[in-house]
Amino acid sequence: MRSAVIVTIVLLASCTAPAPTPPDTQPAAGTVEAFEPASGDAQAMLIAARTAAPQRANDYRLSAAETLLRNDSAVGSILDDVDTDRAAPAQLRRYLVLRARDALRADDAPLALRWLGDGRLQQIPLDRKAQIKLGMMKSDTYAAMRSYLASARERIYVHSLLAATDRAGNGEAIFNTLRELSAGVLRRQAEREITPEVRGWLSLAELAQRHADDPQRTLLEFDNWRIAWSNHPAAQRPPRYLVMLRDVVTRQPRRVALLLPLHGSLAPYGRAIRDGIVGAHYHATAGQQTPPELAVYDTSAADLASVLNEARSDGAELIIGPLDRGRVAETLRIAGPELPVIALNRASADARPATSTRPVYQFGLAPDDEIMQVVRQTRREGHRRVLAIAPDSEWGRRNLDLFAAEWTAQGGDVIDQLVFTPDGDVSRLVKSLLDVDESEARASDLRRITGLTFEHTPRRRQDVDYVFILASPAQAGALKPTLDFYFAEDLPVYATSHVHEPNAGRMAMLDVDRIRFCDMPWKLTPGDSAQKLITAAWPEADGPLAPFFALGVDAYRLYARLRQLESIPGERVHGRTGTLRLTQERIVQRELMWAQFREGQVMPQPMVVAAE
């Protein structure tokens, strides 16, 4: 009996709940305490995602990717871990948009567009805010591909969804995007467009482009457009570019003074600029009852202050010139505060005042803009290591130093430089630059050491991504075949506009085959009506002096657009010397077109104008 009681007690004891774990006892090994990572802490969110449930893990990874993208960090590997099969619709939308943003961060707009066009995204219902965000992303992506018509369409489609306070900015963006296209393209698109709102935007941009060099005609056409399209969003809230036209027209100068060198070494350039201005003036004012007067002052030997005072006394309301770089610096010091000056060169950086109230605008054909464009383009293409070649001259060394400084500032490496003289042995210099002579020397040493006779094909250095040259057409014609001969035919070669002479013979262009360069529209595209008038009157406008005729045309047209350039952020003027922008220091910067020599022809880089 006693033994039975003992057994019963033991059994009851074994069924009793265990005593609670003391507070200071550690959790069993292998368990993880749940925690909520701090907002904005990407690493903490990624750690939390490892042990979270699938949908919660997706949220953590997507939030981490959003945080890192704000810091311009790559997030592809994080998005690879998102479980899209178990993702909720909102998560899938975030995932696809983040994929597109990551592609844009890597400058891969076509890939971004594929993510934004993913069929799964089209099946997800979107609220108004999400529709706007997606439309704006598509617009930005198309713009990055220079598919400007498609970019504008996306903004037009979401325009009615925007809050009233946001529509003005969107309208500005639509108009400015369409102005990237030519008047001819805009007209053809408007004729075939069936959506009224889109057609209205196209016709508005077309009239602005068609009369870009005639503010008075643009204003007249715009007033007629507003009557025909009175219910259009742009009629109710016009772009600032068009609103400012009335002020532009009323401020046109009645007398323009041209300060140019007509004798001496700069005379050919001064006369070309003068003739370009005269041609643009005649073209723009034909039919006007009271066109502005032009007065020419020779600055070849005259004291600049005296010439400025004479022009002012004669009633000039605008001065175009001087041309010489040193005289531009002098103008910055002595010009008065009331008379605007469009100088035709750019003073050196150390000659520019830190601040100035004088309305002196520095506009010219400075190679600085071209060099910066080469740097941006080659970095965008992923190049990092460069060989740079320039002539042994003040111009060559100054611009070679500028290129090296800008390239290094952008994170690139200048592996080596070559400075050549007109009478130097270019073949020997290029051979040394490419280390081909070292390759031959190594083979010679090996033959001497081993006593063997063997065939050897020299090799060039392999630590280079591309070659940049500053050269005239003749110099480039000697350099490019030499680079090819010494095994660098596979290296991309970039240059400034100085390698391109209009109407050069086919044989000369074969020598520079595959060189890629930037140049002005005057030399690369069919001329507008003013250019055709000028080249008919002055055949030399199609030769080596062509850039200076184009400079004269743009200088004459620029004044009418200065107030818009100063007042409207990001405003640009499509000129014959390039696309023009104005900095806060009143320096007019040019962006040129890209082209390439191919089989004896100049091939402009095509521009995408519509979605595929």
Side-chain angles (χ1 to χ4, degrees):
M1 181 69 178
R2 182 180 177 186
S3 61
V5 172
I6 293 173
V7 170
T8 302
I9 293 172
V10 171
L11 290 173
L12 288 172
S14 67
C15 295
T16 304
T21 304
D24 58 348
T25 302
Q26 297 297 320
T31 64
V32 178
E33 291 185 326
F35 73 98
E36 186 65 29
S39 175
D41 188 340
Q43 294 306 316
M45 286 187 275
L46 292 176
I47 292 172
R50 297 174 188 170
T51 56
Q55 287 206 2
R56 190 62 173 159
N58 282 346
D59 274 334
Y60 285 140
R61 291 189 174 104
L62 293 170
S63 296
E66 288 168 342
T67 298
L68 292 171
L69 270 177
R70 284 194 288 270
N71 296 322
D72 201 32
S73 300
V75 296
S77 59
I78 296 173
L79 296 175
D80 288 342
D81 291 334
V82 173
D83 187 348
T84 55
D85 292 334
R86 301 187 187 184
Q91 291 178 334
L92 188 57
R93 174 177 59 80
R94 288 173 68 193
Y95 166 80
L96 294 170
V97 168
L98 285 168
R99 282 290 193 187
R101 287 177 57 191
D102 191 45
L104 286 175
R105 179 204 57 79
D107 290 328
D108 192 344
L111 177 59
L113 195 59
R114 288 198 293 274
W115 284 114
L116 293 174
D118 190 292
R120 293 171 293 178
L121 189 57
Q122 315 308 317
Q123 298 172 8
I124 299 173
L126 302 177
D127 59 21
R128 184 182 65 86
K129 185 177 179 180
Q131 290 181 57
I132 293 171
K133 182 178 180 180
L134 183 60
M136 293 301 186
M137 272 201 70
K138 285 184 176 180
S139 176
D140 292 343
T141 304
Y142 280 124
M145 297 169 63
R146 296 198 291 185
S147 185
Y148 297 117
L149 180 57
S151 176
R153 283 183 186 277
E154 293 295 336
R155 285 187 172 272
I156 293 171
Y157 294 154
V158 302
H159 192 75
S160 61
L161 300 176
L162 295 170
T165 53
D166 296 329
R167 290 179 186 172
N170 192 56
E172 295 286 341
I174 293 169
F175 182 70
N176 291 333
T177 300
L178 289 174
R179 284 172 57 218
E180 295 290 343
L181 305 175
S182 69
V185 169
L186 290 165
R187 182 178 61 256
R188 290 191 295 272
Q189 293 293 334
E191 288 171 352
R192 67 174 68 127
E193 181 59 51
I194 60 174
T195 307
E197 187 173 348
V198 177
R199 187 174 185 180
W201 280 112
L202 289 167
S203 61
L204 180 63
E206 188 272 335
L207 74 85
Q209 293 295 79
R210 179 160 35 99
H211 305 298
D213 60 335
D214 189 345
Q216 194 166 356
R217 182 67 182 275
T218 306
L219 181 60
L220 177 63
E221 293 282 348
F222 174 53
D223 287 341
N224 292 335
W225 182 92
R226 291 188 79 176
I227 295 172
W229 293 87
S230 57
N231 293 322
H232 193 275
Q236 298 163 11
R237 193 187 291 267
R240 290 180 63 191
Y241 174 91
L242 297 171
V243 170
M244 295 179 69
L245 281 178
R246 296 190 193 283
D247 185 59
V248 167
V249 169
T250 58
R251 288 172 176 262
Q252 290 300 295
R254 289 167 293 184
R255 184 179 177 88
V256 180
L258 312 182
L259 276 58
L260 297 167
L262 302 180
H263 298 86
S265 60
L266 294 179
Y269 312 111
R271 288 195 290 266
I273 294 170
R274 177 201 62 192
D275 295 342
I277 292 173
V278 169
H281 173 74
Y282 177 79
H283 178 266
T285 60
Q288 288 187 15
Q289 293 183 351
T290 56
E293 299 177 9
L294 295 181
V296 182
Y297 299 81
D298 188 0
T299 60
S300 302
D303 174 68
L304 181 61
S306 299
V307 175
L308 285 170
N309 288 332
E310 183 182 357
R312 187 182 297 109
S313 299
D314 290 344
E317 296 180 348
L318 169 67
I319 289 177
I320 299 178
L323 174 61
D324 179 79
R325 188 180 177 102
R327 293 198 169 218
V328 172
E330 186 179 356
T331 303
L332 289 169
R333 294 194 304 271
I334 67 174
E338 76 289 346
L339 188 59
V341 177
I342 298 177
L344 297 172
N345 208 326
R346 191 178 297 178
S348 59
D350 57 357
R352 301 172 199 159
T355 58
S356 176
T357 58
R358 296 182 176 91
V360 179
Y361 302 87
Q362 300 175 66
F363 174 44
L365 303 178
D368 308 39
D369 297 333
E370 301 183 31
I371 289 170
M372 285 299 301
Q373 191 166 336
V374 171
V375 168
R376 289 193 301 268
Q377 180 66 26
T378 49
R379 284 299 287 148
R380 189 179 299 124
E381 293 176 1
H383 301 312
R384 191 174 66 83
R385 299 164 299 184
V386 63
L387 294 176
I389 304 175
D392 188 9
S393 64
E394 188 276 333
W395 178 88
R397 289 188 176 276
R398 175 168 57 84
N399 289 299
L400 181 60
D401 289 344
L402 174 62
F403 171 79
E406 294 294 343
W407 183 249
T408 303
Q410 294 296 320
D413 292 330
V414 180
I415 301 300
D416 206 347
Q417 298 181 7
L418 166 62
V419 177
F420 63 90
T421 57
D423 55 352
D425 186 350
V426 172
S427 177
R428 179 181 59 81
L429 293 172
V430 170
K431 183 178 182 180
S432 176
L433 179 71
L434 294 170
D435 286 350
V436 175
D437 52 352
E438 292 188 10
S439 176
E440 292 176 340
R442 286 192 295 271
S444 179
D445 289 343
L446 189 59
R447 291 190 188 99
R448 179 176 51 80
I449 293 170
T450 63
L452 299 175
T453 301
F454 54 85
E455 292 293 327
H456 169 69
T457 301
R459 288 167 51 86
R460 66 164 176 85
R461 64 195 306 164
Q462 299 297 309
D463 58 347
V464 182
D465 296 326
Y466 79 101
V467 178
F468 171 65
I469 62 174
L470 288 158
S472 67
Q475 292 166 341
L479 287 167
K480 184 60 170 67
T482 307
L483 288 166
D484 292 349
F485 181 78
Y486 287 116
F487 316 106
E489 68 276 4
D490 59 325
L491 282 178
V493 179
Y494 290 82
T496 59
S497 64
H498 304 87
V499 301
H500 176 217
E501 181 177 327
N503 299 318
R506 183 172 183 274
M507 294 304 296
M509 285 194 281
L510 284 173
D511 288 337
V512 291
D513 197 48
R514 299 192 310 280
I515 289 181
R516 193 177 181 194
F517 62 97
C518 52
D519 209 341
M520 60 178 61
W522 183 284
K523 294 164 64 179
L524 294 177
T525 64
D528 60 12
S529 54
Q531 182 173 340
K532 292 173 182 175
L533 181 150
I534 290 169
T535 53
W538 294 280
E540 58 269 33
D542 240 355
L545 290 173
F548 296 92
F549 279 88
L551 178 61
V553 171
D554 279 359
Y556 180 81
R557 294 173 173 176
L558 182 61
Y559 178 70
R561 301 301 187 194
L562 282 176
R563 191 154 180 270
Q564 291 163 315
L565 288 169
E566 287 185 302
S567 304
I568 303 175
E571 179 63 15
R572 294 175 290 176
V573 171
H574 295 287
R576 300 309 295 161
T577 60
T579 300
L580 311 179
R581 295 178 175 83
L582 189 66
T583 70
Q584 291 184 341
E585 295 78 24
R586 295 195 175 103
I587 294 174
V588 180
Q589 294 180 332
R590 297 183 303 134
E591 182 176 353
L592 288 79
M593 298 176 62
W594 281 103
Q596 189 175 37
F597 295 109
R598 298 290 293 183
E599 299 179 355
Q601 294 183 320
V602 173
M603 307 296 291
Q605 177 176 303
M607 179 177 290
V608 180
V609 297
E612 294 294 333

